[in-house]
Amino acid sequence: MIQTVNGLGKPSPTLTVDSINMIEKGEYAADFLYFASLCCIKLSVLALVRLITPSRLSQFLIWAFEAVVVAWTVSAIFAHAFECSLPNTWDYMNNSCFDRLSFWNYFEVLNLLTDTGIVILACLIVFPVQTSIRKKLAIIGVFAIRLVPVGAEITKLVFWNRLHGSPDPLFDLWPTIICTQAIQCSSVIAACALYLRPFLEMLQSGFLNLDDMRRNGTMTPFTMTSQGQMAHLSINDSDNPQHRQRGRPVQLAFKRNVSSRGDGIFRGKGNTSPGSG
């Protein structure tokens, strides 16, 4: 808004010195918020991916991804803060600065690579899970919305490289500003879509409950039927009407030791004595 009010997109000869300074200051401040917002968005998506995976290897990869995202953001913030010589670090038109073209190429290339990597990582986690193909594709489809910002990121790279060497960079800057706004808006929407209630209910029915029990070591590969018989349990079984009673979820059975020899029995939630069942 500050840049637009001060003449962003107009030829530089038609602008006053104060207007040019305000455009540069607005761009300088907005870029810090751009870095921070993208970092928070990526970390929020990775937190959800980590929640649905029981694999230690996958969790390690997610932690590594998060470390890369944080390092990428911190490096961008520090580099941008001192991109031009003091005291006017924001004045790239009349000041001595480092290679801003290389910096933004570095930032946006890693931006699109991390977005693509998050989607690929989510696919690798979801595909091995024992659930229906339809549910897998639905979950992957929601994660794939994260690829929408990639198109804007590629477009920004094209316009930014065209801007290099322009006789009037302030006039030719507006396409990259629009791409930046498109990246931010689409990234926020894609991240929020993962936390909508229908998607979370889908994860809750097929991923989150069983994953939490598996991590806590409280789940066995069996479930107790209403007749007290043992039945094998998979993720699909939570959606099976035969394993539900009056619309309530299946009841997991727990293994308890009942003798010094280590013999164990399975008993349901309603049993209270070691010998029942």
Side-chain angles (χ1 to χ4, degrees), residues 27-42 69-70 72-81 83 103-104 106-108 111 156 180 184:
E27 181 184 358
Y28 184 75
D31 287 339
F32 286 112
L33 299 178
Y34 177 60
F35 302 149
S37 63
L38 292 184
C39 178
C40 293
I41 289 168
K42 294 176 193 293
V69 169
V70 172
W72 163 71
T73 304
V74 171
S75 66
I77 290 175
F78 274 97
H80 183 63
E83 65 179 7
F103 166 73
W104 281 106
Y106 150 78
F107 181 84
E108 293 299 346
N111 188 18
K156 181 179 179 179
T180 299
Q184 283 184 292

PDB file of all heavy atoms in Angstrom, residues 27-42 69-70 72-81 83 103-104 106-108 111 156 180 184:
ATOM      1  N   GLU A  27       9.449  -1.614   0.357  1.00  0.00           N
ATOM      2  CA  GLU A  27       9.915  -2.917  -0.128  1.00  0.00           C
ATOM      3  C   GLU A  27      10.842  -3.578   0.887  1.00  0.00           C
ATOM      4  O   GLU A  27      10.750  -4.799   1.131  1.00  0.00           O
ATOM      5  CB  GLU A  27      10.636  -2.736  -1.454  1.00  0.00           C
ATOM      6  CG  GLU A  27      11.152  -4.037  -2.055  1.00  0.00           C
ATOM      7  CD  GLU A  27      11.951  -3.814  -3.326  1.00  0.00           C
ATOM      8  OE1 GLU A  27      12.065  -2.641  -3.767  1.00  0.00           O
ATOM      9  OE2 GLU A  27      12.464  -4.805  -3.877  1.00  0.00           O
ATOM     10  N   TYR A  28      11.707  -2.803   1.486  1.00  0.00           N
ATOM     11  CA  TYR A  28      12.659  -3.319   2.472  1.00  0.00           C
ATOM     12  C   TYR A  28      11.939  -3.919   3.679  1.00  0.00           C
ATOM     13  O   TYR A  28      12.251  -5.036   4.123  1.00  0.00           O
ATOM     14  CB  TYR A  28      13.585  -2.180   2.909  1.00  0.00           C
ATOM     15  CG  TYR A  28      14.685  -2.559   3.858  1.00  0.00           C
ATOM     16  CD1 TYR A  28      15.812  -3.244   3.420  1.00  0.00           C
ATOM     17  CD2 TYR A  28      14.613  -2.204   5.207  1.00  0.00           C
ATOM     18  CE1 TYR A  28      16.832  -3.581   4.293  1.00  0.00           C
ATOM     19  CE2 TYR A  28      15.635  -2.525   6.082  1.00  0.00           C
ATOM     20  CZ  TYR A  28      16.741  -3.219   5.621  1.00  0.00           C
ATOM     21  OH  TYR A  28      17.750  -3.543   6.498  1.00  0.00           O
ATOM     22  N   ALA A  29      10.940  -3.209   4.195  1.00  0.00           N
ATOM     23  CA  ALA A  29      10.197  -3.704   5.360  1.00  0.00           C
ATOM     24  C   ALA A  29       9.309  -4.895   4.997  1.00  0.00           C
ATOM     25  O   ALA A  29       9.202  -5.865   5.768  1.00  0.00           O
ATOM     26  CB  ALA A  29       9.348  -2.576   5.948  1.00  0.00           C
ATOM     27  N   ALA A  30       8.677  -4.847   3.832  1.00  0.00           N
ATOM     28  CA  ALA A  30       7.775  -5.923   3.429  1.00  0.00           C
ATOM     29  C   ALA A  30       8.515  -7.247   3.224  1.00  0.00           C
ATOM     30  O   ALA A  30       7.958  -8.321   3.479  1.00  0.00           O
ATOM     31  CB  ALA A  30       7.036  -5.539   2.148  1.00  0.00           C
ATOM     32  N   ASP A  31       9.758  -7.174   2.784  1.00  0.00           N
ATOM     33  CA  ASP A  31      10.519  -8.404   2.553  1.00  0.00           C
ATOM     34  C   ASP A  31      10.780  -9.161   3.855  1.00  0.00           C
ATOM     35  O   ASP A  31      10.795 -10.400   3.859  1.00  0.00           O
ATOM     36  CB  ASP A  31      11.843  -8.076   1.858  1.00  0.00           C
ATOM     37  CG  ASP A  31      11.648  -7.703   0.395  1.00  0.00           C
ATOM     38  OD1 ASP A  31      10.605  -8.076  -0.165  1.00  0.00           O
ATOM     39  OD2 ASP A  31      12.533  -7.029  -0.171  1.00  0.00           O
ATOM     40  N   PHE A  32      10.978  -8.460   4.965  1.00  0.00           N
ATOM     41  CA  PHE A  32      11.160  -9.140   6.247  1.00  0.00           C
ATOM     42  C   PHE A  32       9.910  -9.923   6.629  1.00  0.00           C
ATOM     43  O   PHE A  32       9.992 -11.070   7.100  1.00  0.00           O
ATOM     44  CB  PHE A  32      11.507  -8.130   7.350  1.00  0.00           C
ATOM     45  CG  PHE A  32      12.911  -7.596   7.278  1.00  0.00           C
ATOM     46  CD1 PHE A  32      13.141  -6.272   6.955  1.00  0.00           C
ATOM     47  CD2 PHE A  32      14.005  -8.409   7.534  1.00  0.00           C
ATOM     48  CE1 PHE A  32      14.430  -5.760   6.889  1.00  0.00           C
ATOM     49  CE2 PHE A  32      15.295  -7.920   7.465  1.00  0.00           C
ATOM     50  CZ  PHE A  32      15.513  -6.586   7.149  1.00  0.00           C
ATOM     51  N   LEU A  33       8.760  -9.303   6.441  1.00  0.00           N
ATOM     52  CA  LEU A  33       7.504 -10.004   6.730  1.00  0.00           C
ATOM     53  C   LEU A  33       7.295 -11.169   5.775  1.00  0.00           C
ATOM     54  O   LEU A  33       6.730 -12.201   6.159  1.00  0.00           O
ATOM     55  CB  LEU A  33       6.333  -9.023   6.633  1.00  0.00           C
ATOM     56  CG  LEU A  33       6.369  -7.832   7.603  1.00  0.00           C
ATOM     57  CD1 LEU A  33       5.180  -6.902   7.362  1.00  0.00           C
ATOM     58  CD2 LEU A  33       6.379  -8.318   9.045  1.00  0.00           C
ATOM     59  N   TYR A  34       7.733 -11.020   4.555  1.00  0.00           N
ATOM     60  CA  TYR A  34       7.640 -12.097   3.557  1.00  0.00           C
ATOM     61  C   TYR A  34       8.447 -13.307   4.006  1.00  0.00           C
ATOM     62  O   TYR A  34       7.953 -14.444   3.980  1.00  0.00           O
ATOM     63  CB  TYR A  34       8.141 -11.559   2.219  1.00  0.00           C
ATOM     64  CG  TYR A  34       8.175 -12.546   1.088  1.00  0.00           C
ATOM     65  CD1 TYR A  34       7.022 -13.184   0.652  1.00  0.00           C
ATOM     66  CD2 TYR A  34       9.375 -12.818   0.404  1.00  0.00           C
ATOM     67  CE1 TYR A  34       7.053 -14.071  -0.411  1.00  0.00           C
ATOM     68  CE2 TYR A  34       9.408 -13.692  -0.656  1.00  0.00           C
ATOM     69  CZ  TYR A  34       8.250 -14.321  -1.062  1.00  0.00           C
ATOM     70  OH  TYR A  34       8.287 -15.207  -2.114  1.00  0.00           O
ATOM     71  N   PHE A  35       9.671 -13.089   4.459  1.00  0.00           N
ATOM     72  CA  PHE A  35      10.515 -14.192   4.929  1.00  0.00           C
ATOM     73  C   PHE A  35       9.878 -14.893   6.130  1.00  0.00           C
ATOM     74  O   PHE A  35       9.796 -16.133   6.177  1.00  0.00           O
ATOM     75  CB  PHE A  35      11.904 -13.678   5.321  1.00  0.00           C
ATOM     76  CG  PHE A  35      12.645 -12.967   4.233  1.00  0.00           C
ATOM     77  CD1 PHE A  35      13.530 -11.940   4.523  1.00  0.00           C
ATOM     78  CD2 PHE A  35      12.461 -13.315   2.909  1.00  0.00           C
ATOM     79  CE1 PHE A  35      14.216 -11.282   3.512  1.00  0.00           C
ATOM     80  CE2 PHE A  35      13.139 -12.669   1.882  1.00  0.00           C
ATOM     81  CZ  PHE A  35      14.020 -11.641   2.198  1.00  0.00           C
ATOM     82  N   ALA A  36       9.429 -14.107   7.103  1.00  0.00           N
ATOM     83  CA  ALA A  36       8.879 -14.678   8.334  1.00  0.00           C
ATOM     84  C   ALA A  36       7.582 -15.447   8.064  1.00  0.00           C
ATOM     85  O   ALA A  36       7.363 -16.524   8.629  1.00  0.00           O
ATOM     86  CB  ALA A  36       8.633 -13.573   9.354  1.00  0.00           C
ATOM     87  N   SER A  37       6.715 -14.910   7.208  1.00  0.00           N
ATOM     88  CA  SER A  37       5.444 -15.579   6.932  1.00  0.00           C
ATOM     89  C   SER A  37       5.654 -16.918   6.232  1.00  0.00           C
ATOM     90  O   SER A  37       5.011 -17.919   6.578  1.00  0.00           O
ATOM     91  CB  SER A  37       4.543 -14.674   6.089  1.00  0.00           C
ATOM     92  OG  SER A  37       5.127 -14.416   4.813  1.00  0.00           O
ATOM     93  N   LEU A  38       6.558 -16.965   5.267  1.00  0.00           N
ATOM     94  CA  LEU A  38       6.822 -18.229   4.571  1.00  0.00           C
ATOM     95  C   LEU A  38       7.408 -19.268   5.521  1.00  0.00           C
ATOM     96  O   LEU A  38       7.068 -20.452   5.445  1.00  0.00           O
ATOM     97  CB  LEU A  38       7.769 -17.995   3.392  1.00  0.00           C
ATOM     98  CG  LEU A  38       7.226 -17.192   2.218  1.00  0.00           C
ATOM     99  CD1 LEU A  38       8.249 -17.135   1.092  1.00  0.00           C
ATOM    100  CD2 LEU A  38       5.918 -17.781   1.693  1.00  0.00           C
ATOM    101  N   CYS A  39       8.270 -18.826   6.418  1.00  0.00           N
ATOM    102  CA  CYS A  39       8.854 -19.751   7.391  1.00  0.00           C
ATOM    103  C   CYS A  39       7.772 -20.344   8.290  1.00  0.00           C
ATOM    104  O   CYS A  39       7.711 -21.566   8.488  1.00  0.00           O
ATOM    105  CB  CYS A  39       9.909 -19.037   8.226  1.00  0.00           C
ATOM    106  SG  CYS A  39      10.663 -20.063   9.502  1.00  0.00           S
ATOM    107  N   CYS A  40       6.896 -19.511   8.828  1.00  0.00           N
ATOM    108  CA  CYS A  40       5.828 -20.002   9.709  1.00  0.00           C
ATOM    109  C   CYS A  40       4.871 -20.933   8.970  1.00  0.00           C
ATOM    110  O   CYS A  40       4.409 -21.940   9.535  1.00  0.00           O
ATOM    111  CB  CYS A  40       5.066 -18.820  10.302  1.00  0.00           C
ATOM    112  SG  CYS A  40       6.034 -17.811  11.442  1.00  0.00           S
ATOM    113  N   ILE A  41       4.575 -20.617   7.727  1.00  0.00           N
ATOM    114  CA  ILE A  41       3.675 -21.460   6.933  1.00  0.00           C
ATOM    115  C   ILE A  41       4.272 -22.847   6.728  1.00  0.00           C
ATOM    116  O   ILE A  41       3.607 -23.875   6.926  1.00  0.00           O
ATOM    117  CB  ILE A  41       3.383 -20.791   5.579  1.00  0.00           C
ATOM    118  CG1 ILE A  41       2.491 -19.570   5.774  1.00  0.00           C
ATOM    119  CG2 ILE A  41       2.722 -21.770   4.616  1.00  0.00           C
ATOM    120  CD1 ILE A  41       2.370 -18.688   4.558  1.00  0.00           C
ATOM    121  N   LYS A  42       5.528 -22.905   6.349  1.00  0.00           N
ATOM    122  CA  LYS A  42       6.173 -24.197   6.107  1.00  0.00           C
ATOM    123  C   LYS A  42       6.270 -25.014   7.400  1.00  0.00           C
ATOM    124  O   LYS A  42       6.047 -26.235   7.391  1.00  0.00           O
ATOM    125  CB  LYS A  42       7.567 -23.981   5.502  1.00  0.00           C
ATOM    126  CG  LYS A  42       7.554 -23.373   4.105  1.00  0.00           C
ATOM    127  CD  LYS A  42       8.970 -23.104   3.612  1.00  0.00           C
ATOM    128  CE  LYS A  42       8.982 -22.229   2.368  1.00  0.00           C
ATOM    129  NZ  LYS A  42       8.412 -22.900   1.192  1.00  0.00           N
ATOM    130  N   VAL A  69      14.483 -25.166   6.815  1.00  0.00           N
ATOM    131  CA  VAL A  69      13.594 -24.008   6.661  1.00  0.00           C
ATOM    132  C   VAL A  69      14.015 -22.869   7.588  1.00  0.00           C
ATOM    133  O   VAL A  69      14.074 -21.704   7.175  1.00  0.00           O
ATOM    134  CB  VAL A  69      12.134 -24.421   6.935  1.00  0.00           C
ATOM    135  CG1 VAL A  69      11.234 -23.189   7.039  1.00  0.00           C
ATOM    136  CG2 VAL A  69      11.627 -25.343   5.834  1.00  0.00           C
ATOM    137  N   VAL A  70      14.330 -23.201   8.837  1.00  0.00           N
ATOM    138  CA  VAL A  70      14.744 -22.163   9.789  1.00  0.00           C
ATOM    139  C   VAL A  70      16.072 -21.537   9.358  1.00  0.00           C
ATOM    140  O   VAL A  70      16.232 -20.299   9.381  1.00  0.00           O
ATOM    141  CB  VAL A  70      14.850 -22.751  11.210  1.00  0.00           C
ATOM    142  CG1 VAL A  70      15.469 -21.738  12.167  1.00  0.00           C
ATOM    143  CG2 VAL A  70      13.475 -23.174  11.715  1.00  0.00           C
ATOM    144  N   TRP A  72      17.343 -21.402   6.345  1.00  0.00           N
ATOM    145  CA  TRP A  72      17.075 -20.634   5.123  1.00  0.00           C
ATOM    146  C   TRP A  72      16.469 -19.273   5.451  1.00  0.00           C
ATOM    147  O   TRP A  72      16.871 -18.244   4.902  1.00  0.00           O
ATOM    148  CB  TRP A  72      16.150 -21.467   4.237  1.00  0.00           C
ATOM    149  CG  TRP A  72      15.433 -20.764   3.139  1.00  0.00           C
ATOM    150  CD1 TRP A  72      15.971 -20.272   1.986  1.00  0.00           C
ATOM    151  CD2 TRP A  72      14.029 -20.497   3.073  1.00  0.00           C
ATOM    152  NE1 TRP A  72      14.982 -19.720   1.203  1.00  0.00           N
ATOM    153  CE2 TRP A  72      13.788 -19.848   1.837  1.00  0.00           C
ATOM    154  CE3 TRP A  72      12.949 -20.769   3.916  1.00  0.00           C
ATOM    155  CZ2 TRP A  72      12.507 -19.445   1.457  1.00  0.00           C
ATOM    156  CZ3 TRP A  72      11.681 -20.375   3.539  1.00  0.00           C
ATOM    157  CH2 TRP A  72      11.481 -19.715   2.326  1.00  0.00           C
ATOM    158  N   THR A  73      15.535 -19.245   6.402  1.00  0.00           N
ATOM    159  CA  THR A  73      14.883 -17.997   6.781  1.00  0.00           C
ATOM    160  C   THR A  73      15.849 -17.057   7.502  1.00  0.00           C
ATOM    161  O   THR A  73      15.913 -15.854   7.194  1.00  0.00           O
ATOM    162  CB  THR A  73      13.671 -18.280   7.680  1.00  0.00           C
ATOM    163  OG1 THR A  73      12.784 -19.187   7.011  1.00  0.00           O
ATOM    164  CG2 THR A  73      12.932 -16.995   8.012  1.00  0.00           C
ATOM    165  N   VAL A  74      16.603 -17.587   8.453  1.00  0.00           N
ATOM    166  CA  VAL A  74      17.534 -16.758   9.213  1.00  0.00           C
ATOM    167  C   VAL A  74      18.602 -16.163   8.300  1.00  0.00           C
ATOM    168  O   VAL A  74      18.949 -14.978   8.399  1.00  0.00           O
ATOM    169  CB  VAL A  74      18.179 -17.574  10.347  1.00  0.00           C
ATOM    170  CG1 VAL A  74      19.308 -16.789  11.017  1.00  0.00           C
ATOM    171  CG2 VAL A  74      17.126 -17.965  11.384  1.00  0.00           C
ATOM    172  N   SER A  75      19.115 -16.988   7.374  1.00  0.00           N
ATOM    173  CA  SER A  75      20.128 -16.473   6.443  1.00  0.00           C
ATOM    174  C   SER A  75      19.561 -15.373   5.553  1.00  0.00           C
ATOM    175  O   SER A  75      20.242 -14.379   5.268  1.00  0.00           O
ATOM    176  CB  SER A  75      20.674 -17.616   5.590  1.00  0.00           C
ATOM    177  OG  SER A  75      19.663 -18.143   4.725  1.00  0.00           O
ATOM    178  N   ALA A  76      18.309 -15.540   5.126  1.00  0.00           N
ATOM    179  CA  ALA A  76      17.689 -14.520   4.277  1.00  0.00           C
ATOM    180  C   ALA A  76      17.474 -13.225   5.043  1.00  0.00           C
ATOM    181  O   ALA A  76      17.700 -12.131   4.507  1.00  0.00           O
ATOM    182  CB  ALA A  76      16.357 -15.040   3.733  1.00  0.00           C
ATOM    183  N   ILE A  77      17.043 -13.314   6.300  1.00  0.00           N
ATOM    184  CA  ILE A  77      16.794 -12.115   7.097  1.00  0.00           C
ATOM    185  C   ILE A  77      18.087 -11.337   7.325  1.00  0.00           C
ATOM    186  O   ILE A  77      18.140 -10.103   7.162  1.00  0.00           O
ATOM    187  CB  ILE A  77      16.130 -12.488   8.434  1.00  0.00           C
ATOM    188  CG1 ILE A  77      14.685 -12.960   8.191  1.00  0.00           C
ATOM    189  CG2 ILE A  77      16.140 -11.309   9.398  1.00  0.00           C
ATOM    190  CD1 ILE A  77      13.986 -13.471   9.426  1.00  0.00           C
ATOM    191  N   PHE A  78      19.153 -12.039   7.704  1.00  0.00           N
ATOM    192  CA  PHE A  78      20.419 -11.356   7.949  1.00  0.00           C
ATOM    193  C   PHE A  78      21.000 -10.775   6.667  1.00  0.00           C
ATOM    194  O   PHE A  78      21.533  -9.651   6.666  1.00  0.00           O
ATOM    195  CB  PHE A  78      21.414 -12.317   8.602  1.00  0.00           C
ATOM    196  CG  PHE A  78      21.294 -12.382  10.099  1.00  0.00           C
ATOM    197  CD1 PHE A  78      20.559 -13.382  10.709  1.00  0.00           C
ATOM    198  CD2 PHE A  78      21.905 -11.427  10.903  1.00  0.00           C
ATOM    199  CE1 PHE A  78      20.430 -13.437  12.087  1.00  0.00           C
ATOM    200  CE2 PHE A  78      21.785 -11.466  12.281  1.00  0.00           C
ATOM    201  CZ  PHE A  78      21.045 -12.479  12.876  1.00  0.00           C
ATOM    202  N   ALA A  79      20.909 -11.520   5.578  1.00  0.00           N
ATOM    203  CA  ALA A  79      21.445 -11.012   4.311  1.00  0.00           C
ATOM    204  C   ALA A  79      20.672  -9.787   3.849  1.00  0.00           C
ATOM    205  O   ALA A  79      21.264  -8.790   3.395  1.00  0.00           O
ATOM    206  CB  ALA A  79      21.399 -12.107   3.260  1.00  0.00           C
ATOM    207  N   HIS A  80      19.351  -9.853   3.967  1.00  0.00           N
ATOM    208  CA  HIS A  80      18.532  -8.722   3.518  1.00  0.00           C
ATOM    209  C   HIS A  80      18.732  -7.504   4.412  1.00  0.00           C
ATOM    210  O   HIS A  80      18.683  -6.359   3.934  1.00  0.00           O
ATOM    211  CB  HIS A  80      17.060  -9.128   3.513  1.00  0.00           C
ATOM    212  CG  HIS A  80      16.143  -8.061   3.012  1.00  0.00           C
ATOM    213  ND1 HIS A  80      16.184  -7.565   1.729  1.00  0.00           N
ATOM    214  CD2 HIS A  80      15.142  -7.374   3.636  1.00  0.00           C
ATOM    215  CE1 HIS A  80      15.258  -6.638   1.567  1.00  0.00           C
ATOM    216  NE2 HIS A  80      14.616  -6.501   2.715  1.00  0.00           N
ATOM    217  N   ALA A  81      18.971  -7.720   5.701  1.00  0.00           N
ATOM    218  CA  ALA A  81      19.143  -6.610   6.630  1.00  0.00           C
ATOM    219  C   ALA A  81      20.365  -5.769   6.288  1.00  0.00           C
ATOM    220  O   ALA A  81      20.374  -4.549   6.516  1.00  0.00           O
ATOM    221  CB  ALA A  81      19.246  -7.128   8.061  1.00  0.00           C
ATOM    222  N   GLU A  83      21.953  -5.784   3.080  1.00  0.00           N
ATOM    223  CA  GLU A  83      22.205  -5.946   1.652  1.00  0.00           C
ATOM    224  C   GLU A  83      22.919  -4.735   1.055  1.00  0.00           C
ATOM    225  O   GLU A  83      23.577  -4.848   0.021  1.00  0.00           O
ATOM    226  CB  GLU A  83      20.895  -6.197   0.907  1.00  0.00           C
ATOM    227  CG  GLU A  83      19.922  -5.031   0.933  1.00  0.00           C
ATOM    228  CD  GLU A  83      18.650  -5.338   0.152  1.00  0.00           C
ATOM    229  OE1 GLU A  83      18.493  -6.489  -0.275  1.00  0.00           O
ATOM    230  OE2 GLU A  83      17.829  -4.425  -0.029  1.00  0.00           O
ATOM    231  N   PHE A 103      20.969 -13.194  -4.672  1.00  0.00           N
ATOM    232  CA  PHE A 103      20.293 -13.427  -3.390  1.00  0.00           C
ATOM    233  C   PHE A 103      18.857 -13.878  -3.608  1.00  0.00           C
ATOM    234  O   PHE A 103      18.403 -14.860  -3.010  1.00  0.00           O
ATOM    235  CB  PHE A 103      20.315 -12.155  -2.538  1.00  0.00           C
ATOM    236  CG  PHE A 103      19.378 -12.198  -1.366  1.00  0.00           C
ATOM    237  CD1 PHE A 103      19.666 -12.985  -0.256  1.00  0.00           C
ATOM    238  CD2 PHE A 103      18.187 -11.474  -1.380  1.00  0.00           C
ATOM    239  CE1 PHE A 103      18.796 -13.034   0.821  1.00  0.00           C
ATOM    240  CE2 PHE A 103      17.312 -11.526  -0.302  1.00  0.00           C
ATOM    241  CZ  PHE A 103      17.618 -12.304   0.798  1.00  0.00           C
ATOM    242  N   TRP A 104      18.114 -13.183  -4.449  1.00  0.00           N
ATOM    243  CA  TRP A 104      16.716 -13.551  -4.650  1.00  0.00           C
ATOM    244  C   TRP A 104      16.569 -14.851  -5.435  1.00  0.00           C
ATOM    245  O   TRP A 104      15.593 -15.589  -5.232  1.00  0.00           O
ATOM    246  CB  TRP A 104      15.974 -12.402  -5.340  1.00  0.00           C
ATOM    247  CG  TRP A 104      15.604 -11.318  -4.379  1.00  0.00           C
ATOM    248  CD1 TRP A 104      16.172 -10.094  -4.246  1.00  0.00           C
ATOM    249  CD2 TRP A 104      14.588 -11.389  -3.378  1.00  0.00           C
ATOM    250  NE1 TRP A 104      15.586  -9.389  -3.232  1.00  0.00           N
ATOM    251  CE2 TRP A 104      14.599 -10.166  -2.681  1.00  0.00           C
ATOM    252  CE3 TRP A 104      13.667 -12.362  -3.000  1.00  0.00           C
ATOM    253  CZ2 TRP A 104      13.722  -9.889  -1.630  1.00  0.00           C
ATOM    254  CZ3 TRP A 104      12.796 -12.094  -1.955  1.00  0.00           C
ATOM    255  CH2 TRP A 104      12.822 -10.879  -1.282  1.00  0.00           C
ATOM    256  N   TYR A 106      18.629 -17.356  -5.019  1.00  0.00           N
ATOM    257  CA  TYR A 106      18.864 -18.327  -3.955  1.00  0.00           C
ATOM    258  C   TYR A 106      17.615 -18.507  -3.096  1.00  0.00           C
ATOM    259  O   TYR A 106      17.197 -19.645  -2.805  1.00  0.00           O
ATOM    260  CB  TYR A 106      20.043 -17.859  -3.093  1.00  0.00           C
ATOM    261  CG  TYR A 106      19.990 -18.282  -1.643  1.00  0.00           C
ATOM    262  CD1 TYR A 106      20.339 -19.580  -1.260  1.00  0.00           C
ATOM    263  CD2 TYR A 106      19.583 -17.377  -0.653  1.00  0.00           C
ATOM    264  CE1 TYR A 106      20.282 -19.964   0.076  1.00  0.00           C
ATOM    265  CE2 TYR A 106      19.527 -17.759   0.676  1.00  0.00           C
ATOM    266  CZ  TYR A 106      19.879 -19.050   1.039  1.00  0.00           C
ATOM    267  OH  TYR A 106      19.814 -19.430   2.355  1.00  0.00           O
ATOM    268  N   PHE A 107      16.994 -17.409  -2.715  1.00  0.00           N
ATOM    269  CA  PHE A 107      15.850 -17.491  -1.816  1.00  0.00           C
ATOM    270  C   PHE A 107      14.667 -18.177  -2.479  1.00  0.00           C
ATOM    271  O   PHE A 107      14.051 -19.095  -1.899  1.00  0.00           O
ATOM    272  CB  PHE A 107      15.445 -16.093  -1.339  1.00  0.00           C
ATOM    273  CG  PHE A 107      14.295 -16.111  -0.385  1.00  0.00           C
ATOM    274  CD1 PHE A 107      14.506 -16.332   0.963  1.00  0.00           C
ATOM    275  CD2 PHE A 107      12.987 -15.913  -0.828  1.00  0.00           C
ATOM    276  CE1 PHE A 107      13.446 -16.368   1.860  1.00  0.00           C
ATOM    277  CE2 PHE A 107      11.928 -15.948   0.050  1.00  0.00           C
ATOM    278  CZ  PHE A 107      12.151 -16.169   1.398  1.00  0.00           C
ATOM    279  N   GLU A 108      14.317 -17.768  -3.685  1.00  0.00           N
ATOM    280  CA  GLU A 108      13.115 -18.301  -4.325  1.00  0.00           C
ATOM    281  C   GLU A 108      13.311 -19.739  -4.814  1.00  0.00           C
ATOM    282  O   GLU A 108      12.365 -20.523  -4.817  1.00  0.00           O
ATOM    283  CB  GLU A 108      12.689 -17.400  -5.484  1.00  0.00           C
ATOM    284  CG  GLU A 108      12.209 -16.024  -5.061  1.00  0.00           C
ATOM    285  CD  GLU A 108      10.986 -16.063  -4.150  1.00  0.00           C
ATOM    286  OE1 GLU A 108      10.331 -17.119  -4.052  1.00  0.00           O
ATOM    287  OE2 GLU A 108      10.694 -15.028  -3.524  1.00  0.00           O
ATOM    288  N   ASN A 111      12.848 -21.729  -1.851  1.00  0.00           N
ATOM    289  CA  ASN A 111      11.430 -21.629  -1.503  1.00  0.00           C
ATOM    290  C   ASN A 111      10.610 -22.675  -2.255  1.00  0.00           C
ATOM    291  O   ASN A 111       9.828 -23.423  -1.661  1.00  0.00           O
ATOM    292  CB  ASN A 111      10.920 -20.222  -1.815  1.00  0.00           C
ATOM    293  CG  ASN A 111       9.515 -19.985  -1.293  1.00  0.00           C
ATOM    294  OD1 ASN A 111       9.020 -20.701  -0.429  1.00  0.00           O
ATOM    295  ND2 ASN A 111       8.861 -18.969  -1.833  1.00  0.00           N
ATOM    296  N   LYS A 156       7.883 -15.353 -10.469  1.00  0.00           N
ATOM    297  CA  LYS A 156       8.662 -14.280  -9.851  1.00  0.00           C
ATOM    298  C   LYS A 156      10.128 -14.369 -10.250  1.00  0.00           C
ATOM    299  O   LYS A 156      10.767 -13.339 -10.501  1.00  0.00           O
ATOM    300  CB  LYS A 156       8.532 -14.353  -8.335  1.00  0.00           C
ATOM    301  CG  LYS A 156       9.290 -13.242  -7.625  1.00  0.00           C
ATOM    302  CD  LYS A 156       9.127 -13.301  -6.122  1.00  0.00           C
ATOM    303  CE  LYS A 156       9.920 -12.184  -5.443  1.00  0.00           C
ATOM    304  NZ  LYS A 156       9.763 -12.207  -3.968  1.00  0.00           N
ATOM    305  N   THR A 180       5.041 -11.641  -5.474  1.00  0.00           N
ATOM    306  CA  THR A 180       5.283 -11.823  -4.044  1.00  0.00           C
ATOM    307  C   THR A 180       3.972 -11.916  -3.276  1.00  0.00           C
ATOM    308  O   THR A 180       3.807 -12.781  -2.395  1.00  0.00           O
ATOM    309  CB  THR A 180       6.126 -10.658  -3.498  1.00  0.00           C
ATOM    310  OG1 THR A 180       7.386 -10.624  -4.172  1.00  0.00           O
ATOM    311  CG2 THR A 180       6.364 -10.814  -2.002  1.00  0.00           C
ATOM    312  N   GLN A 184       2.485 -15.232  -1.149  1.00  0.00           N
ATOM    313  CA  GLN A 184       2.050 -15.176   0.241  1.00  0.00           C
ATOM    314  C   GLN A 184       0.600 -15.610   0.395  1.00  0.00           C
ATOM    315  O   GLN A 184       0.276 -16.424   1.269  1.00  0.00           O
ATOM    316  CB  GLN A 184       2.228 -13.759   0.796  1.00  0.00           C
ATOM    317  CG  GLN A 184       3.664 -13.414   1.149  1.00  0.00           C
ATOM    318  CD  GLN A 184       3.778 -12.037   1.772  1.00  0.00           C
ATOM    319  OE1 GLN A 184       3.556 -11.034   1.111  1.00  0.00           O
ATOM    320  NE2 GLN A 184       4.124 -11.993   3.038  1.00  0.00           N
TER     321      GLN A 184
END
